[in-house]
Amino acid sequence: MSGFVAEAGVIFERSEPGRQGIEFPEVDVPQSELPAGWRREADFHLPEVSELEMVRHFTRLSQKNFAIDIGFYPLGSCTMKYNPKVNDAIANLPGFQDLHPYQDPATIQGALELMWELQAWLGEIAGLPGVTLQPSAGAHGELTGALIIRAYHEAQGRPRKTILVPDSAHGTNPATAAMVGYDTREIPTNAQGNVDIDKLREMMTEDVAGLMITNPSTLGVFEERIQEVADIVHAGGGLVYMDGANMNAMVGIARPGDMGMDILHYNLHKTMTVPHGGGGPGAGATAVREDLVKFLPVPLVERSEDGTFYLDYDRPHTVGRIRAFYGNFNNMVRAFVYMRVLGKDGLLDMSQTAVLNANYLKERLRGIYHLPLDRTCKHEVIFTSKWLKEKTSHLAHPVRTLDVAKRLLDYGIHAPTVYFPLTVEECMLIEPTETESKRTLDRFVEVMTRIAEEAEEQPELVTEAPHNTPLRRLDEVRAARHPDLRWRPGSEFST
Ligand SMILES: *Cc1c(COP(=O)(O)O)cnc(C)c1O
């Protein structure tokens, strides 16, 4: 970010024949050739660089990226909170790290106990007793839940074909329902951001298998009539799936099971500080009510009467496996450590502070950016900068939310989620999380205020942002439609 420009390029361009970054030990066993049929004749074009070149290259690359360890990251719906390093230290202990999934369960009792306890804690927090740790992500937990909804109806001999989804749901909800073969029907939300109850009543017909609802919704607010919503779906013979990716607002405060939710997934890689972003492995533990436990994926971790732990595959009603082995085990360790360190009171404090921080930003920024929903928010708050676009509509390039987001990067702050949810024009979904200090939140308010001033006084400063990042504004449409992720020798490459 300084004016100094380091040597650029991809690592292949640094390659020089004969350079190497590793010393192999002398061969001390007789050499033998691989059988010819096992060998491939190919030129792999591996880069040949020294250790120092390699370290500089990757360190430089890492500095071009934004990360929670570098600055404030208020990306709504994603819960980019700080991930304590102790989680990694413990997940990397050889006793966890070096396990093999095919080891005899007698030799991995500690790991199984950890999973068993984590299942129990997550069940307790959800108010839903059956938990699988297998899903690799939030959407994968949704898939597991939708398969369970299907299995539930099939077991009763009355398969149904539709899933209802409010328009305030996360986009993965309808996508998941469609993946399992359901038609989806969208329920509108009312002016307060709640599901339109009359519409729900009307739409809850006999072909509806269930409802997938995000709560708190993508508008950052709690579904106020959630119990009534659940009662209507249940009366019609359906199940309620709650997308619990936003549990950061609720842990220890309210239990979804007590509100009539039947199935819920967690994003342990949001709420429970498993690192995420960049497509890394997640953990989407999924919890169900008592009578749905029999449908959970195999294996579940169980404890026998003599106190030993085992992997239970003998479950005739299971929806089957939803991935190889048992889930991303090291991420379970991270979530376990985090929960263990915080304890019951700490987890409650976590959610209360997350909600407090979001409401603090809501109050401090309400006069500058506008609130489409003026209600107490949960862990995130939604603003619109539609007024800014209108005020600058005389310009060739009126100032939009996207410009505000890009300008934030110049101040070392990651952009919030923008243009999502789709139901709010020019929106910004801001999620500060509980790990940020008042000082950081105050600086954010200051920067947001300054950007609003810049937008009026020097609009091109905002509409041409970012200015201080390794790359200026990207053509996002082209990047999404024509991704070109492979470097070939001689291809054009700019830093
Ligand atoms: C993040 C998120 C998801 C999807 O989680 P992935 O782990 O990315 O699959 C689903 N719903 C909501 C509300 C989310 O915020």
Side-chain angles (χ1 to χ4, degrees):
M1 302 238 173
S2 66
F4 173 72
V5 179
E7 209 180 328
V10 296
I11 196 160
F12 295 92
E13 292 170 327
R14 302 197 154 204
S15 181
E16 277 183 45
R19 282 264 172 92
Q20 76 182 52
I22 185 167
E23 293 279 339
F24 291 105
E26 293 276 318
V27 179
D28 59 357
V29 291
Q31 289 200 36
S32 64
E33 291 272 308
L34 275 178
W38 293 7
R39 274 184 273 150
R40 261 188 297 166
E41 294 303 331
D43 190 353
F44 288 107
H45 293 295
L46 294 178
E48 296 178 79
V49 292
S50 69
E51 180 176 326
L52 175 60
E53 292 273 3
M54 190 269 299
V55 167
R56 283 195 179 144
H57 177 75
F58 286 107
T59 305
R60 185 172 54 80
L61 275 189
S62 74
Q63 289 174 339
K64 290 191 172 182
N65 229 340
F66 196 90
I68 186 68
D69 289 354
I70 291 175
F72 185 38
Y73 208 137
L75 191 66
S77 209
C78 295
T79 313
M80 302 304 289
K81 59 167 93 175
Y82 174 64
N83 306 141
K85 302 300 173 222
V86 66
N87 299 354
D88 300 325
I90 294 186
N92 289 340
L93 291 176
F96 289 131
Q97 174 130 290
D98 298 343
L99 293 178
H100 191 281
Y102 282 141
Q103 248 172 273
D104 181 339
T107 66
I108 52 166
Q109 284 294 302
L112 293 179
E113 182 172 1
L114 182 148
M115 291 168 75
W116 185 79
E117 280 209 15
L118 186 59
Q119 286 175 188
W121 294 350
L122 295 172
E124 169 76 29
I125 290 169
L128 296 165
V131 174
T132 172
L133 302 173
Q134 240 181 75
S136 303
H140 203 199
E142 292 174 36
L143 178 69
T144 308
L147 289 170
I148 291 172
I149 293 176
R150 195 174 70 183
Y152 167 84
H153 289 293
E154 278 173 0
Q156 306 195 19
R158 43 154 212 208
R160 297 180 167 199
K161 61 181 198 337
T162 306
I163 293 274
L164 302 180
V165 187
D167 62 10
S168 59
H170 194 264
T172 48
N173 300 176
T176 303
M179 231 177 135
V180 175
Y182 284 115
D183 297 332
T184 57
R185 256 184 261 146
E186 193 175 276
I187 312 174
T189 42
N190 59 24
Q192 289 76 44
N194 293 316
V195 164
D196 184 330
I197 295 275
D198 294 334
K199 265 270 181 307
L200 171 65
R201 241 187 228 112
E202 212 174 279
M203 291 169 78
M204 188 57 221
T205 49
E206 275 201 343
D207 66 328
V208 173
L211 168 78
M212 290 181 85
I213 187 164
T214 303
N215 190 27
S217 72
T218 57
L219 295 164
V221 293
F222 189 79
E223 193 61 54
E224 288 174 307
R225 293 166 75 179
I226 189 72
Q227 181 84 57
E228 219 176 324
V229 166
D231 290 348
I232 292 168
V233 175
H234 290 151
L239 292 177
V240 186
Y241 181 95
M242 184 180 125
D243 178 332
N246 293 336
M247 278 299 282
N248 213 47
M250 275 165 74
V251 174
I253 300 173
R255 306 197 314 165
D258 298 343
M259 303 166 200
M261 304 295 100
D262 303 310
I263 311 174
L264 162 136
H265 82 261
Y266 289 92
N267 279 51
L268 299 184
H269 51 290
K270 290 180 182 169
T271 313
M272 301 305 176
T273 64
V274 171
H276 66 298
T286 301
V288 298
R289 75 179 192 204
E290 191 72 54
D291 64 317
L292 301 176
V293 172
K294 63 182 179 193
F295 299 119
L296 285 173
V298 280
L300 283 184
V301 183
E302 301 279 9
R303 183 162 72 171
S304 40
E305 278 177 13
D306 66 2
T308 54
F309 298 90
Y310 66 100
L311 292 162
D312 182 11
Y313 288 91
D314 185 17
R315 308 181 64 83
H317 300 283
T318 176
V319 296
R321 270 188 178 284
I322 49 120
R323 57 157 285 151
F325 304 121
Y326 325 111
N328 285 322
F329 176 70
N330 277 32
N331 284 343
M332 297 172 204
V333 179
R334 289 183 173 91
F336 180 91
V337 171
Y338 176 71
M339 294 171 77
R340 191 68 200 259
V341 167
L342 259 63
K344 187 169 154 233
D345 295 342
L347 287 170
L348 172 64
D349 192 38
M350 164 193 99
S351 281
Q352 288 176 334
T353 310
V355 172
L356 177 66
N357 279 0
N359 279 283
Y360 180 72
L361 289 183
K362 169 171 153 277
E363 292 311 314
R364 292 235 28 216
L365 285 171
R366 65 155 63 234
I368 304 155
Y369 297 87
H370 295 177
L371 291 169
L373 269 182
D374 198 353
R375 270 176 65 178
T376 303
C377 62
K378 291 298 157 201
H379 60 303
E380 58 193 352
V381 54
I382 194 154
F383 282 102
T384 168
S385 48
K386 193 174 149 213
W387 66 275
L388 204 54
K389 187 171 144 193
E390 285 163 1
K391 200 158 189 177
T392 54
S393 62
H394 59 284
L395 300 173
H397 182 157
V399 181
R400 304 184 57 208
T401 286
L402 181 68
D403 305 311
V404 174
K406 296 293 182 193
R407 184 65 179 143
L408 274 169
L409 303 176
D410 282 336
Y411 290 100
I413 294 173
H414 195 281
T417 294
V418 294
Y419 301 103
F420 174 83
L422 306 173
T423 48
V424 179
E425 243 184 284
E426 294 298 322
C427 68
M428 293 180 268
L429 187 59
I430 299 174
E431 180 177 8
T433 85
E434 74 284 0
T435 58
E436 299 301 334
S437 65
K438 179 167 176 295
R439 183 191 174 124
T440 300
L441 301 184
D442 286 339
R443 171 160 188 271
F444 178 66
V445 170
E446 242 172 67
V447 168
M448 289 291 280
T449 309
R450 195 178 314 164
I451 294 174
E453 286 161 10
E454 286 172 352
E456 294 193 54
E457 290 156 15
Q458 277 175 284
E460 65 294 340
L461 204 54
V462 183
T463 54
E464 284 166 24
H467 306 272
N468 306 327
T469 47
L471 285 177
R472 299 287 305 272
R473 196 172 295 204
L474 300 174
D475 181 346
E476 292 176 0
V477 175
R478 195 174 139 219
R481 300 248 165 95
H482 308 285
D484 181 6
L485 305 176
R486 203 179 128 196
W487 179 84
R488 296 167 199 81
S491 65
E492 181 199 350
F493 186 87
S494 62
T495 55

